[in-house]
Amino acid sequence: MREILVAAAVSLLLSMLGTPLAIRLFSRRGYGQSIREEGPSGHHDKRGTPTMGGTVIVIAALVGFACAHLYSFTPPTVSAVLVLFLMTGLGAVGFLDDFIKIYKQRSLGLRSGAKALGQLIVGAVFAVLVTRFPNAYLITPAETRLSFLRDFGPSVGLIGFTIWVLIMIVGFSNAVNLTDGLDGLASGATGVVLASYVLIGNWQLRNSCTTQLGPNCYWVRDPLDLAVVAAAVLGALVGFLWWNAPPAKIFMGDTGSLALGGVLAGLAITTRTQLLLIVLAGMCVLITMSVIIQVGFFKMTGKRVFRMAPLQHHFELKGWAETTIVVRFWLIAALCAAAGLGIFYVEWMPRL
């Protein structure tokens, strides 16, 4: 269990100390954020704030994870490496998107088709590899089945599973991207989900079917190392949030939001809690649904449900202060994560 603490502590320290260096470097090179003209007027003051801070999160998480294994003198597991590959690959797609925005000084980077293609390529590689590499108990990082608290139902086949995984990866990476609209909002909302996965991985380790067979045990390949991944990313995110909290000194950009969405999807797939992620990350899901409702309703009726989507901008235009929206949305995110953990643990509660 000490690996979890080492990963979190190292990544937190690197992110806390590395983010100011990134702020100075990006500011000196002119890597500032472009703001959409159609966005809330209050955001225009944020123009020029350094972006691409997600690079610090990704690097700090990778180093923290590596240090945890150096501490324990154990090699990294396949499940953890695949999740980190997904995070880094999507972060690279986001980095390219951010760099184009900065280079061309516009609020749009990669074309939507090119951005989606990059997400699909990284996701497809992950989806195929995650069903391979069985361990001594013939457990692979994921099965070609759906999961909630564990796998259930028949296999959907490799093609069906790949499509499902791609939907999860693209959906949650874009969900975190949409949530990243106010200072610190996405950092806090994803942080509570990562903390949940530290607890879930630890609990799955303690109740693994490889050590004790039982009706509620878990067939998860590398639960401890998945908890280490979650802890490493969480530590990096907390260190970054110190500088990203309102008023933000740096933005994570698509580099960070796509990477974080990938981590959440990857952890859900490898811990066999795919559908539970919808509850755990309910805040991000809610914000994504607000965009879908806004676009769909406008196309059908020509009218808007919200003053502006995503949802956080609706409350901005209603006159809520940015810090008020962020803190209240953090509370909702924490309640969603608590509800997800409650559902996860409820089957272990004694029955009267």
Side-chain angles (χ1 to χ4, degrees), residues 61-301:
L62 292 174
V63 174
F65 177 81
C67 288
H69 281 278
L70 288 174
Y71 171 81
S72 62
F73 293 102
T74 57
T77 62
V78 172
S79 300
V81 169
L82 287 175
V83 174
L84 291 174
F85 159 77
L86 183 60
M87 175 188 74
T88 307
L90 291 178
V93 174
F95 181 87
L96 184 59
D97 186 54
D98 287 333
F99 187 79
I100 292 174
K101 292 176 185 176
I102 293 167
Y103 183 76
K104 295 191 175 182
Q105 286 298 299
R106 65 186 191 189
S107 60
L108 297 176
L110 282 173
R111 294 183 182 275
S112 58
K115 187 175 180 180
L117 179 62
Q119 292 172 291
L120 291 174
I121 291 173
V122 175
V125 173
F126 173 83
V128 172
L129 294 180
V130 83
T131 59
R132 302 176 184 271
F133 307 107
N135 64 4
Y137 298 95
L138 301 181
I139 307 174
T140 53
E143 295 284 346
T144 56
R145 297 193 291 166
L146 301 182
S147 62
F148 181 48
L149 304 180
R150 53 181 51 79
D151 292 330
F152 67 87
S155 169
V156 296
L158 182 59
I159 295 177
F161 180 73
T162 300
I163 294 173
W164 168 241
V165 168
L166 289 176
I167 291 172
M168 284 195 63
I169 291 172
V170 174
F172 278 99
S173 60
N174 287 328
V176 177
N177 195 312
L178 291 171
T179 305
D180 185 32
L182 298 179
D183 297 353
L185 179 56
S187 301
T190 53
V192 293
V193 183
L194 289 167
S196 300
Y197 273 113
V198 174
L199 298 176
I200 287 173
N202 186 44
W203 185 256
Q204 288 178 332
L205 173 68
R206 294 176 180 273
N207 297 278
S208 173
C209 295
T210 62
T211 57
Q212 52 180 356
L213 285 172
N216 295 327
C217 66
Y218 300 99
W219 290 102
V220 176
R221 191 188 190 285
D222 306 300
L224 175 58
D225 221 18
L226 293 173
V228 172
V229 169
V233 182
L234 176 60
L237 194 60
V238 171
F240 177 79
L241 180 58
W242 181 268
W243 304 100
N244 182 235
K249 301 294 188 297
I250 188 171
F251 300 140
M252 69 170 64
D254 283 15
T255 307
S257 59
L258 295 188
L260 290 173
V263 167
L264 298 187
L267 288 171
I269 292 163
T270 50
T271 59
R272 319 293 175 96
T273 56
Q274 299 158 15
L275 296 177
L276 184 64
L277 181 59
I278 296 174
V279 182
L280 290 168
M283 182 72 263
C284 298
V285 174
L286 179 63
I287 287 175
T288 304
M289 289 302 300
S290 72
V291 175
I292 295 173
I293 292 170
Q294 182 85 325
V295 173
F297 194 79
F298 184 80
K299 286 184 176 180
M300 288 188 297
T301 66

Side-chain angles (χ1 to χ4, degrees), residues 320-334:
W320 287 24
E322 181 173 2
T323 51
T324 300
I325 299 170
V326 170
V327 171
R328 287 178 178 175
F329 276 38
W330 280 354
L331 293 174
I332 295 173

